[in-house]
Amino acid sequence: PRAPQTRRWSLGGPASDMAEVTEAELDSVRERLAAVRGRVPADRTLVAVSKLKPAELMVCAYEAGQRDFGENYVQELVDKGPRLPADARLHFIGHLQTNKVKLLLSEPRLCCVHTVDSLKLAAELQKRAAALRPGQAPLAVMAQVNTSGEASKGGCAPAECVALCEGIRASCPALRLTGLMCIGKYSAAEGGSAADFETLRRCRSEAAAALGEEEGALHLSMGMSHDFEEAIAAGATHVRVGSTIFGARPPKPPPAAQPPAEGQPPP
């Protein structure tokens, strides 16, 4: 039998770092994307999370009609962005360090940062957006709330959400606060995500009241592959779906080994 047809795809590294993508993988992405889109109402935003996946799979999804893509790592977003047409919309959904903000905002397809968890980060985004995007519409951002209280997850405490939203609105004219975001619990064994979604809705109610807006003016980014339908039922406007569309992710490569200090033997 014929070997499956493959394409070579590079994210800008040497040829040895190229990923091989088979036609069968591309067909699978098309089928799974269509299945997920059939379960997401037309008035909600499906963010296809392509973390650790080759850009060709994103191009495949784009050609099938997908426009919103999510990335967890700044370098991946800026590497993959230029491989997509100009009307693709990139959402940053991972933990963001202030020293990576300038690089992140260098990608013109960036449309929203979902993970603003402090006024310090908001101030850096404001500074860089004003400098790098003069004359453009304000950059959409969401306040990330740690609804579960887990140390492994980012976000401000629910009690701090109103102050964060007010601070962004008052001090960051180059940013546009569009909503709130959370990461729910990953499994029923952990208690499920329902309580997280309820907490984020409550935070939105409080933030909207403080800002003098209707609740519906603030989006809710919540729900992932394992719980996006539950999130939609709970009022999510944005769901972030990755492995259900693109397949299981490979493990993240370990950091490169550091050379031993001078005079020290190698490990």
Side-chain angles (χ1 to χ4, degrees):
R2 292 177 57 191
Q5 189 175 1
T6 63
R7 299 185 192 179
R8 300 284 283 175
W9 194 257
S10 172
L11 293 184
S16 60
D17 289 343
M18 285 186 176
E20 287 192 353
V21 177
T22 68
E23 291 297 333
E25 287 179 287
L26 297 175
D27 287 341
S28 179
V29 166
R30 295 183 192 104
E31 293 170 4
R32 288 185 289 195
L33 175 61
V36 171
R37 290 173 70 179
R39 295 151 63 189
V40 177
D43 62 345
R44 314 299 172 93
T45 299
L46 169 63
V47 179
V49 180
S50 43
K51 170 184 174 182
L52 300 180
K53 289 293 185 176
E56 190 168 10
L57 297 186
M58 298 171 69
V59 173
C60 173
Y62 177 93
E63 292 172 346
Q66 181 64 23
R67 292 295 179 269
D68 293 274
F69 296 90
E71 288 292 342
N72 289 68
Y73 304 116
V74 171
Q75 192 64 55
E76 268 200 274
L77 186 147
V78 299
D79 283 345
K80 294 175 180 178
R83 288 153 174 81
L84 292 169
D87 65 338
R89 296 181 290 269
L90 298 182
H91 300 246
F92 186 75
I93 62 172
H95 175 66
L96 181 57
Q97 298 172 297
T98 55
N99 64 352
K100 297 290 183 69
V101 168
K102 181 179 180 181
L103 176 62
L104 177 65
L105 267 62
S106 70
E107 171 48 57
R109 295 163 190 80
L110 176 70
C111 75
C112 185
V113 178
H114 289 230
T115 49
V116 179
D117 59 2
S118 69
L119 288 175
K120 177 183 177 182
L121 178 58
E124 184 66 18
L125 284 162
Q126 161 63 30
K127 172 184 170 183
R128 298 300 182 181
L132 296 173
R133 298 183 167 207
Q136 296 186 32
L139 174 66
V141 300
M142 297 193 189
Q144 183 180 5
V145 182
N146 188 339
T147 52
S148 65
E150 296 168 272
S152 61
K153 294 177 181 174
C156 68
E160 299 169 353
C161 177
V162 168
L164 176 57
C165 292
E166 289 180 324
I168 294 170
R169 183 63 57 83
S171 305
C172 302
L175 308 180
R176 179 169 61 93
L177 179 69
T178 61
L180 280 61
M181 177 267 210
C182 77
I183 300 172
K185 293 185 176 66
Y186 293 118
S187 68
E190 296 178 343
S193 301
D196 297 300
F197 299 158
E198 175 59 33
T199 297
L200 197 67
R201 286 201 309 269
R202 175 173 52 80
C203 288
R204 178 176 69 170
S205 297
E206 294 170 354
L211 297 172
E213 293 188 352
E214 296 291 330
E215 285 187 25
L218 294 176
H219 296 153
L220 292 176
S221 172
M222 58 189 194
M224 299 184 292
S225 284
H226 67 286
D227 60 4
F228 73 90
E229 289 180 293
E230 181 183 354
I232 289 169
T237 60
H238 293 63
V239 291
R240 311 178 303 272
V241 181
S243 58
T244 301
I245 295 171
F246 293 110
R249 298 186 187 101
K252 186 181 180 184
Q258 298 297 313
E262 187 175 352
Q264 295 294 318

